[in-house]
């Protein structure tokens, strides 16, 4: 007999992170959005590649370096072909590479709009008293843990904080604050959930 309900939440970021940069045409800091276009400049045996961003105010472009003067022979062939073709899948993957973006831009904004797909991993054999949520986050997302849980469990964020304070919500690996964004592989364990007035997850 088990009173634990195990589910998996796959959290799919919808909006790629955006750098804040000083736009020379707007004359102030603006958010820049990926155009999902890649530009390549091959010069003999070396290659440069950029992901093109556009100012959300005026459309001016910013070229984010992806490769700088890299010897062509050191680049994997599939990657090289995708760069030259400005493949949408690659452009999107690069746009979500927040660590790479941070190397080129001091200030990066992440967004919390995400699609959450729920799946039951193992159902409880009796009315569940504990909910274990395994989080899969294929692309980094700025979605805070408290907001994710509040949205999906239909509880207030205050109630989520209360559960954490009483030890009825535990995050593995532990985080300093529920305001931290959800990351791939996190496990959220909620106890005494169904004694609370809330919707049991489907
Ligand atoms: Zn601008």
């Amino acid at each position: 007999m088990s009173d634990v309900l195990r589910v998996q939440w796959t959290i799919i970021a919808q909006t790629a992170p955006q750098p804040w940069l000083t736009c020379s045409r707007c004359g102030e800091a603006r958010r820049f959005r990926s155009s999902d276009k890649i530009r390549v400049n091959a010069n003999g045996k070396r290659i440069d590649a950029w992901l093109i961003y556009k100012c959300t105010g005026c459309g001016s472009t910013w070229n984010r370096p992806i490769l700088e003067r890299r010897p062509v022979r050191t680049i994997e062939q599939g990657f090289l072909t995708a760069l030259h073709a400005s493949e949408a899948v690659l452009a999107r993957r690069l746009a979500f590479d927040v660590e790479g973006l941070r190397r080129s831009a001091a200030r990066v904004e992440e967004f919390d709009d995400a699609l959450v797909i729920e799946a039951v991993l193992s159902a409880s054999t009796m009315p569940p008293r504990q909910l274990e949520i395994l989080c899969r986050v294929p692309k980094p997302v700025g979605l805070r843990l408290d907001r994710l849980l509040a949205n999906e469990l239909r509880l207030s964020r205050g109630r989520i904080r209360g559960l954490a304070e009483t030890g009825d919500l535990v995050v593995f690996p532990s985080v300093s604050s529920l305001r931290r964004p959800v990351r791939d592989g996190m496990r959220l364990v909620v106890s005494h959930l169904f004694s609370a007035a809330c919707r049991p997850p489907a």
Side-chain angles (χ1 to χ4, degrees):
M1 296 279 276
S2 166
D3 61 358
V4 180
L5 173 61
R6 288 190 180 82
V7 297
Q8 177 171 284
W9 288 355
T10 303
I11 298 145
I12 311 209
Q14 300 294 294
T15 305
Q18 296 176 2
W20 279 82
L21 303 161
T22 302
C23 174
S24 53
R25 200 190 296 173
C26 292
E28 58 185 81
R30 291 280 195 192
R31 267 188 297 114
F32 279 64
R33 185 188 300 129
S34 170
S35 69
D36 289 346
K37 295 275 185 297
I38 298 166
R39 216 188 105 207
V40 172
N41 183 20
N43 196 340
K45 292 188 171 68
R46 290 181 183 267
I47 188 170
D48 292 279
W50 303 269
L51 183 62
I52 312 300
Y53 285 72
K54 287 190 172 170
C55 171
T56 55
C58 71
S60 292
T61 58
W62 171 64
N63 296 349
R64 170 185 155 198
I66 303 298
L67 298 176
E68 292 179 278
R69 305 285 299 150
R70 271 280 292 277
V72 173
R73 60 180 167 73
T74 66
I75 303 169
E76 193 263 320
Q77 188 58 48
F79 182 58
L80 192 61
T81 306
L83 280 175
H84 277 291
S86 185
E87 268 181 15
V89 173
L90 175 62
R92 195 133 174 90
R93 182 161 66 74
L94 292 170
F96 275 97
D97 172 18
V98 67
E99 298 309 319
L101 178 57
R102 284 187 206 285
R103 284 194 287 275
S104 306
R107 183 178 165 202
V108 173
E109 185 170 340
E110 288 185 83
F111 297 88
D112 66 1
D113 53 330
L115 187 68
V116 180
I117 300 167
E118 301 188 15
V120 173
L121 297 178
S122 67
S124 55
T125 50
M126 49 200 275
R129 291 179 52 79
Q130 184 168 305
L131 174 65
E132 283 193 25
I133 305 155
L134 176 64
C135 296
R136 286 286 167 226
V137 189
K139 291 171 182 158
V141 66
L143 181 57
R144 290 161 40 156
L145 285 163
D146 56 354
R147 186 163 296 178
L148 168 71
L149 285 160
N151 288 349
E152 298 307 312
L153 299 178
R154 311 270 201 278
L155 294 171
S156 70
R157 270 189 274 158
R159 179 92 177 89
I160 298 296
R161 277 195 299 276
L163 286 170
E165 279 161 18
T166 55
D168 289 322
L169 164 61
V170 186
V171 179
F172 300 96
S174 67
V175 288
S176 55
S177 159
L178 290 176
R179 288 198 289 267
R180 304 295 301 167
V182 61
R183 291 295 180 231
D184 190 40
M186 275 184 174
R187 204 157 51 88
L188 317 175
V189 179
V190 192
S191 306
H192 304 114
L193 180 67
F194 303 108
S195 56
C198 75
R199 173 193 72 111

